[in-house]
Amino acid sequence: MKTQKELFAYIWATREHVSEVSGKPLLPRHDYRWHWQFAHILSKGQYPSFKLNPDNIMLMLPEEHEKQEQYDLFNKRKEALKRIYYESRKPF
């Protein structure tokens, strides 16, 4: 995938359309807030190489996205992804 738009389309096509933190149904694709349902676990600015990594995206409702750090599942995935990120950067 070359763009965030392609990444979101791939995730939408391959995952259930429910919030990963609450299990509630997500907004339909035509909703103006649709793209706010794709939460980057590791920030795009601090971890640019993970920006287009599907494993770095959690689906959640926009109001959940605003408080993503309050969810245990989000924080567990964040720690796991950080381990992967920093393990891949260790010198030999």
Side-chain angles (χ1 to χ4, degrees):
M1 282 159 273
K2 297 179 183 175
T3 68
Q4 194 167 268
K5 184 177 180 179
E6 289 174 351
L7 173 65
F8 291 175
Y10 168 78
I11 290 170
W12 194 254
T14 58
R15 296 189 193 173
E16 289 187 55
H17 301 165
V18 297
S19 166
E20 295 180 55
V21 295
S22 67
K24 294 178 182 177
L26 295 174
L27 301 172
R29 193 165 189 161
H30 64 270
D31 191 287
Y32 76 96
R33 299 172 298 160
W34 179 78
H35 65 283
W36 294 340
Q37 299 178 121
F38 299 82
H40 281 84
I41 300 167
L42 297 179
S43 74
K44 298 179 283 187
Q46 195 170 3
Y47 302 90
S49 64
F50 273 43
K51 176 182 178 178
L52 299 177
N53 181 338
D55 294 334
N56 189 37
I57 301 290
M58 282 185 75
L59 290 172
M60 59 182 70
L61 292 165
E63 57 270 17
E64 296 166 340
H65 193 160
E66 291 175 3
K67 54 184 180 179
Q68 61 195 19
E69 302 277 340
Q70 295 179 10
Y71 296 100
D72 287 339
L73 180 60
F74 178 87
N75 291 317
K76 286 178 185 176
R77 288 198 189 166
K78 188 173 190 173
E79 290 307 312
L81 283 173
K82 280 184 179 180
R83 280 193 299 277
I84 292 167
Y85 179 85
Y86 288 111
E87 286 288 323
S88 70
R89 301 214 172 309
K90 282 187 177 177
F92 293 100

